[in-house]
Amino acid sequence: NAGVTQTPKFQVLKTGQSMTLQCAQDMNHEYMSWYRQDPGMGLRLIHYSVGAGITDQGEVPNGYNVSRSTTEDFPLRLLSAAPSQTSVYFCASAAGLSSYNEQFFGPGTRLTVL
Amino acid sequence: AQRVTQPEKLLSVFKGAPVELKCNYSYSGSPELFWYVQYSRQRLQLLLRHISRESIKGFTADLNKGETSFHLKKPFAQEEDSAMYYCALSLNTGFQKLVFGTGTRLLVSP
């Protein structure tokens, strides 16, 4: 059981480039989410999904797109990277949709936009 | 608006000393609160949640609705407790949307 996996671990982009951060989970979890972690700001929710085909915006969605075609995968797309998107990105998943449920986090992707 | 405040960026104590990591929240709904921990080179993971009223690794946290607080406590700190601790509020939306505090780094010295 790999849990939540994220690729790549590190990425450097130039301003204006696009890329996709991959996230997968093998726990058959309904709920998946993306957070960004910036110094002094904790983790902030970017987008989330409550099941295949269903996504919604979190606190800081601008500049990011998501889709959920399968239960397992929840990729995060940066359409045109900006230096303000330099951050550490975490994917998380949770079983069921109860607000009490534990979220399981991936190892993170450290993104630098020059 | 909902908010979680952790006033201390760094808390440094000696082994065996009591520890209290502070967390205050602002939320108009019924709060569901969690403590997550990130040890060095490990993933962020759940430490405890208020609904369970449990003690994990000697840590406890009590929800005080009057003071809107959910402080994390341990009577005797251990070196292996050194980590980054995040308090998180789950919005009562029918599924889990977490609002995190900015985190407190706990450093336990021998």
Side-chain angles (χ1 to χ4, degrees):
Chain A
N1 221 351
V4 179
T5 58
Q6 291 183 237
T7 56
K9 289 186 178 180
F10 302 95
Q11 183 71 49
V12 179
L13 293 179
K14 294 181 179 178
T15 297
Q17 287 185 315
S18 63
M19 80 158 295
T20 299
L21 307 185
Q22 300 293 344
C23 174
Q25 51 90 9
D26 61 0
M27 298 175 282
N28 201 32
H29 284 174
E30 292 179 78
Y31 182 83
M32 296 186 73
S33 55
W34 276 101
Y35 296 87
R36 59 177 289 172
Q37 183 182 41
D38 301 296
M41 302 197 70
L43 282 79
R44 292 181 293 168
L45 183 64
I46 304 172
H47 284 286
Y48 64 94
S49 168
V50 298
I54 307 170
T55 64
D56 205 348
Q57 297 180 349
E59 182 185 354
V60 288
N62 292 342
Y64 306 95
N65 271 1
V66 292
S67 60
R68 184 108 178 260
S69 56
T70 67
T71 300
E72 295 78 19
D73 300 298
F74 191 43
L76 178 72
R77 280 181 284 276
L78 281 71
L79 307 174
S80 177
S84 61
Q85 294 178 304
T86 293
S87 188
V88 181
Y89 291 84
F90 291 98
C91 180
S93 71
L97 301 178
S98 168
S99 52
Y100 300 115
N101 286 345
E102 174 181 1
Q103 289 202 18
F104 293 85
F105 285 82
T109 294
R110 186 175 294 274
L111 175 68
T112 301
V113 183
L114 303 175
Chain B
Q2 53 274 3
R3 177 178 291 179
V4 175
T5 303
Q6 294 180 251
E8 303 136 330
K9 287 187 178 180
L10 173 66
L11 184 61
S12 186
V13 302
F14 288 105
K15 177 183 175 181
V19 169
E20 182 179 53
L21 288 82
K22 291 183 167 51
C23 172
N24 288 91
Y25 66 92
S26 172
Y27 183 47
S28 57
S30 181
E32 293 159 11
L33 288 148
F34 303 78
W35 277 98
Y36 279 82
V37 60
Q38 188 170 28
Y39 300 102
S40 179
R41 290 185 290 277
Q42 293 189 27
R43 304 179 183 205
L44 192 63
Q45 58 188 281
L46 178 68
L47 179 62
L48 55 79
R49 59 194 120 185
H50 93 269
I51 194 70
S52 302
R53 301 183 67 83
E54 57 203 343
S55 174
I56 302 293
K57 299 184 178 181
F59 285 98
T60 59
D62 291 319
L63 177 60
N64 186 324
K65 291 186 178 181
E67 296 184 357
T68 60
S69 68
F70 189 56
H71 303 327
L72 184 67
K73 300 178 183 179
K74 185 169 183 177
F76 307 103
Q78 303 298 315
E79 289 181 68
E80 54 266 30
D81 296 329
S82 296
M84 194 75 181
Y85 291 81
Y86 292 95
C87 183
L89 167 69
S90 178
L91 305 183
N92 198 3
T93 55
F95 50 85
Q96 198 182 78
K97 291 175 68 174
L98 289 178
V99 175
F100 281 86
T102 52
T104 297
R105 180 168 298 282
L106 175 64
L107 182 60
V108 182
S109 303

